[in-house]
Amino acid sequence: MAGVREEQRARTRRALVDRARELFAARGYADVGLAELVGAAGVTKGALYHQFEGKAELFEVVLGEVAAEVAEAVVLAAGAHEDPWDRFLAGCRAFLVASTDPSVARIVLVDGPAVLGWTRWRALDEATSGRHLVEALEALAVHGVIAPRPVAPLAHLLNGAMNEAALWLADEPDQLDAVWAELAGMLDGLR
């Protein structure tokens, strides 16, 4: 019996996260109410509160999943290359491509900092794509591709530039190649 309850609990949680992701992506956090969320998931408000403290915690779970998917795309693209510089470039481009999806930009880059607050959002960002950026820069320094330097300031600058580019590209997806050309040129200056 306990196994059946756990399975039902997992299905309820998954339904809430999936429907919340769809609604938050389509309209944004502020324009989605609890009644709509539970209605879309086919559960009660009590079921939502059994799973999450409220809408903000549900959003944080959605944000974590989306950010992890972006980070996974970065790792997958980078991992297709042996050369550290090629890995770095592939990862940066993969981040832009993944983040160009308007639903990703809305959840991760627009609503994320607004709902969680800058400090909490920043920690999540640093634990996902930001961590991979730091690792890539450290590998470049170890392999002598870039001059040894403190990696944290450079990672924050590049992360900020790429996040801003991703926000813009969410509204201007046809500009991806132009943005990439500019970013690649900037990155090349690091070598």
Side-chain angles (χ1 to χ4, degrees), residues 40-64:
V43 301
T44 65
K45 281 188 182 179
L48 181 138
Y49 284 114
H50 185 71
Q51 299 284 336
F52 305 98
E53 287 184 19
K55 186 171 106 170
E57 185 180 350
L58 174 57
F59 176 81
E60 188 169 357
V61 170
V62 169
L63 171 62

Side-chain angles (χ1 to χ4, degrees), residues 125-144:
D125 187 54
E126 287 178 358
T128 53
S129 295
R131 177 175 57 88
H132 297 299
L133 181 58
V134 167
E135 291 170 356
L137 290 169
E138 288 172 344
L140 292 175
V142 165
H143 287 93

Side-chain angles (χ1 to χ4, degrees), residues 3 10 14 25 34 38 42 56 62 65 67 71 79 89 97-98 126 131 133 135 150 162 164 175 180 190:
R14 186 78 255 152
L34 281 181
V38 297
V62 169
E65 285 187 6
L89 291 179
V97 169
E126 287 178 358
R131 177 175 57 88
L133 181 58
E135 291 170 356
M162 288 189 287
E164 179 62 29
Q175 295 297 314
W180 177 247
L190 297 173

Side-chain angles (χ1 to χ4, degrees), residues 144-157:
V145 178
I146 63 172
R149 58 171 35 103
V151 170
L154 180 58
H156 278 85
L157 287 168

Side-chain angles (χ1 to χ4, degrees), residues 9-40:
R9 185 172 192 264
R11 276 196 310 268
T12 298
R13 183 177 181 87
R14 186 78 255 152
L16 282 163
V17 171
D18 290 347
R19 296 305 78 75
R21 180 176 179 163
E22 291 167 2
L23 292 168
F24 293 150
R27 296 203 327 269
Y29 177 85
D31 289 341
V32 177
L34 281 181
E36 183 178 10
L37 279 169
V38 297

Side-chain angles (χ1 to χ4, degrees), residues 6 9 28 39 41-43 62 64 75 78 80 89 92 97 102 107 109-110 116 136 147 156 172-173:
E6 277 303 309
R9 185 172 192 264
V43 301
V62 169
V75 169
L89 291 179
C92 289
V97 169
I107 290 170
L109 301 173
V110 175
L116 299 184
H156 278 85
E172 302 285 341

